[in-house]
Amino acid sequence: MIFKRVDHVELVPKDPHITIGFFVNILGFKIKNRTKVDLPPMEEVIFLELGDTVVEIISTQDPEQRSKAPWQVGYRALALEVNDMNKAVNYLKAKGIPMAVEPVDLGGSYRAEIRDPNELIIELRQWK
């Protein structure tokens, strides 16, 4: 097989410090690497990891806002697997993170959604 796995997902946030804080302090990611870059408009590249999942945060000067259209062409969501949906929801609500979509039983799994500080969708999935 030529392709092995998804290596990482890239995010361009409005404010990288807020986004990093959310991923690290709320979702439990760890900072794997931070590198300053001199490639305007890029300023810094930050790799965050959770288990074997890696998210790359790209700090840029004045990034453009995303469209508010719910079904636009592009990547729609980052999905995180959780062990216990109820515990995850209660934890997030206690941290002040509201549910964008309350948990739903889909038969083989439970699914919910939150939003990151940039209003990007983070899906929560508990497989049965």
Side-chain angles (χ1 to χ4, degrees), residues 36-119:
K36 297 278 186 194
V37 293
D38 188 19
L39 296 169
M42 288 178 35
E43 298 174 327
E44 186 177 21
V45 175
I46 305 98
F47 287 95
L48 307 176
E49 65 183 354
L50 178 69
D52 61 354
T53 300
V54 177
V55 173
E56 179 181 1
I57 306 295
I58 301 174
S59 174
T60 64
Q61 301 162 352
D62 301 316
E64 294 290 327
Q65 286 292 88
R66 287 184 70 229
S67 163
K68 297 275 185 199
W71 296 103
Q72 59 185 309
V73 173
Y75 293 100
R76 184 173 180 281
L78 171 70
L80 297 178
E81 184 176 350
V82 299
N83 289 322
D84 183 313
M85 183 64 75
N86 289 329
K87 283 184 181 177
V89 168
N90 290 336
Y91 166 80
L92 290 165
K93 287 182 177 180
K95 293 285 190 178
I97 309 299
M99 291 291 108
V101 174
E102 291 290 333
V104 177
D105 187 338
L106 299 175
S109 67
Y110 298 102
R111 182 188 185 282
E113 288 182 8
I114 60 173
R115 298 287 190 271
D116 83 350
N118 303 287
E119 294 296 314

